[in-house]
Amino acid sequence: MNKFMEIAIAEARIGIKKGHGGPFGTVIVKDNKVIAKAHNKVLKKRDATSHGEIEAIRKASRKLKTHDLSGCELYTTGEPCPMCLGAILWSNISKVYYGCNVKDTEKIGFRDKAFYELDEEKKKAFIKELDREGCLKLYKEYHSQKDKKNY
């Protein structure tokens, strides 16, 4: 077994035993060193975004003092959901390793599959464009700044 995945599994077990959330543990590694480890804290924090990956990304960003985690690898016990995958991509993590896939996660009662299968009809009924002109003005203001960061 991979040593970093072993740490992710151990971290998930801590979360399960403490009643923090599901069996999801995550480790972020850079240059073969653990930068951050975390587990699902959705129940503890009463926060739907407190997935193991998100918690680990936040810790790694604080530790490295940057939002850019280029050169880091992420090890997680479950295939990242779309929210976590988005955060992983935004943080520039270089590689992701996961233990269980979406089908495995579904078998233990999680509904990740539904988010992968959100079709255009459902999306159109749920997400609506509103006040585009006002928001375009805001975007133009931002774009005109000389010291802007595109994150």
Side-chain angles (χ1 to χ4, degrees):
M1 182 180 281
N2 177 279
K3 67 180 179 179
F4 299 123
M5 189 60 79
E6 284 184 40
I7 296 169
I9 291 168
E11 186 66 27
R13 283 193 176 111
I14 291 168
I16 292 168
K17 288 178 183 171
K18 291 183 175 184
H20 291 175
F24 308 109
T26 303
V27 176
I28 295 178
V29 175
K30 186 169 187 175
D31 299 326
N32 216 30
K33 293 179 185 162
V34 174
I35 302 300
K37 59 184 180 175
H39 58 266
N40 182 295
K41 292 185 179 175
V42 168
L43 299 177
K44 178 185 180 187
K45 291 186 172 184
R46 295 181 179 96
D47 178 351
T49 68
S50 290
H51 291 195
E53 297 93 334
I54 302 293
E55 293 289 319
I57 288 168
R58 289 173 180 157
K59 282 183 177 182
S61 294
R62 284 191 301 270
K63 185 171 182 176
L64 298 175
K65 295 180 173 57
T66 181
H67 62 279
D68 186 351
L69 301 180
S70 294
C72 291
E73 295 180 336
L74 186 144
Y75 295 78
T76 188
T77 56
E79 184 174 350
C81 72
M83 174 186 70
C84 292
L85 187 56
I88 290 164
L89 292 168
W90 277 114
S91 64
N92 296 316
I93 287 173
S94 303
K95 186 79 173 180
V96 176
Y97 299 95
Y98 65 89
C100 293
N101 61 41
V102 174
K103 289 178 183 178
D104 299 323
T105 304
E106 184 178 33
K107 287 177 186 174
I108 61 167
F110 289 86
R111 59 190 174 113
D112 295 33
K113 186 178 173 185
F115 300 107
Y116 288 100
E117 295 176 349
L118 189 61
D119 64 29
E120 286 304 311
E121 280 302 309
K122 289 179 184 173
K123 204 170 171 182
K124 285 179 185 177
F126 182 67
I127 300 172
K128 301 283 184 194
E129 187 176 282
L130 179 68
D131 200 3
R132 182 169 181 258
E133 291 305 314
C135 294
L136 282 172
K137 183 179 175 185
L138 172 70
Y139 277 25
K140 186 176 179 180
E141 290 170 23
Y142 174 80
H143 187 68
S144 68
Q145 291 180 354
K146 292 181 182 184
D147 61 347
K148 70 181 177 291
K149 303 281 188 228
N150 286 330
Y151 285 98

